[in-house]
């Protein structure tokens, strides 16, 4: 019987990814991005994100006029777990931290722009406008092709 394998190189990751360092809560950042970039980001249902990690907070919007998908997600997730065994330290709970893109673990949020054409044309303008938002420390684009964890962003798609 023949065995077929899908290679990662077969799937083209043609979108723009912007890292955002901010001291804002997720809903406030989404509000400011909506007002500055004239978007309509809405929070995703946890069931839609649960295929990757139930604690990921994500916002999305599909611009039907320009046919561009916008996705904002929190890079860092923390989960408190209770210890499974009873022992000397049974009252202590542990905290597990995960990152959607661990290569950029200092980035608080990631903005994914997918226009099905590859790199988004107005990326420089978007980065410039994002830097005007109070509470954003810095923003910069991430080279998606160099990411080892680019498959973590698959759940954030307009399909």
């Amino acid at each position: 019987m023949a065995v077929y394998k899908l290679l990662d190189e077969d799937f083209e990751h043609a979108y723009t990814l912007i890292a955002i360092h901010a001291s804002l809560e997720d809903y406030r950042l989404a509000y400011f991005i909506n007002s500055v970039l004239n978007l309509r980001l809405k929070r995703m249902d946890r069931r839609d994100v649960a295929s990757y990690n139930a604690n990921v907070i994500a916002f999305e919007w599909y611009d039907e006029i320009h046919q561009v998908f916008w996705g904002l997600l929190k890079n860092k997730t923390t989960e408190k777990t209770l210890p499974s065994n009873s022992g000397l330290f049974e009252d202590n709970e542990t905290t597990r931290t995960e990152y959607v893109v661990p290569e950029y673990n200092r980035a608080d949020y990631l903005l994914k722009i997918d226009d099905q054409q590859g790199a988004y044309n107005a990326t420089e303008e978007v980065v410039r406008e994002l830097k005007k938002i109070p509470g954003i420390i810095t923003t910069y684009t991430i080279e998606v092709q160099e990411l080892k964890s680019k498959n973590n962003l698959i759940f954030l798609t307009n399909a």
Side-chain angles (χ1 to χ4, degrees):
M1 178 186 236
V3 177
Y4 298 99
K5 292 183 180 181
L6 293 175
L7 300 176
D8 187 36
E9 293 84 29
D10 292 340
F11 297 105
E12 184 178 329
H13 300 281
Y15 53 84
T16 301
L17 192 63
I18 299 174
I20 301 172
H21 296 257
S23 60
L24 297 170
E25 292 292 327
D26 49 19
Y27 61 91
R28 291 198 62 191
L29 181 62
Y31 171 79
F32 284 131
I33 290 175
N34 283 343
S35 61
V36 169
L37 297 177
N38 202 16
L39 303 180
R40 292 185 183 97
L41 292 170
K42 291 183 181 178
R43 188 166 181 163
M44 290 177 66
D45 190 13
R46 287 194 183 270
R47 288 172 281 169
D48 295 338
V49 187
S51 62
Y52 170 68
N53 184 339
N55 294 329
V56 172
I57 297 171
F59 297 81
E60 67 177 350
W61 178 60
Y62 182 68
D63 183 2
E64 294 179 4
I65 296 171
H66 299 102
Q67 296 183 349
V68 177
F69 173 80
W70 296 80
L72 173 69
L73 65 132
K74 195 169 188 176
N75 191 25
K76 180 180 178 180
T77 61
T78 56
E79 180 180 355
K80 293 183 180 180
T81 58
L82 296 174
S84 60
N85 59 352
S86 61
L88 184 60
F89 303 106
E90 67 184 49
D91 292 337
N92 293 343
E93 58 184 29
T94 58
T95 304
R96 188 178 74 190
T97 303
E98 292 183 1
Y99 298 93
V100 177
V101 180
E103 295 94 320
Y104 290 89
N105 60 2
R106 293 187 180 213
D108 299 309
Y109 298 94
L110 301 167
L111 182 65
K112 180 180 176 182
I113 308 169
D114 188 359
D115 66 350
Q116 305 292 327
Q117 303 294 324
Y120 185 61
N121 295 334
T123 303
E124 302 285 328
E125 183 181 336
V126 170
V127 169
R128 193 170 41 254
E129 291 296 318
L130 288 174
K131 288 182 180 179
K132 294 178 183 178
I133 296 175
I136 288 185
I137 300 163
T138 189
T139 62
Y140 51 89
T141 58
I142 295 175
E143 291 296 325
V144 178
Q145 303 303 332
E146 297 175 4
L147 286 178
K148 294 178 184 175
S149 58
K150 56 189 160 197
N151 290 335
N152 294 351
L153 298 166
I154 290 175
F155 73 92
L156 201 59
T157 181
N158 60 344

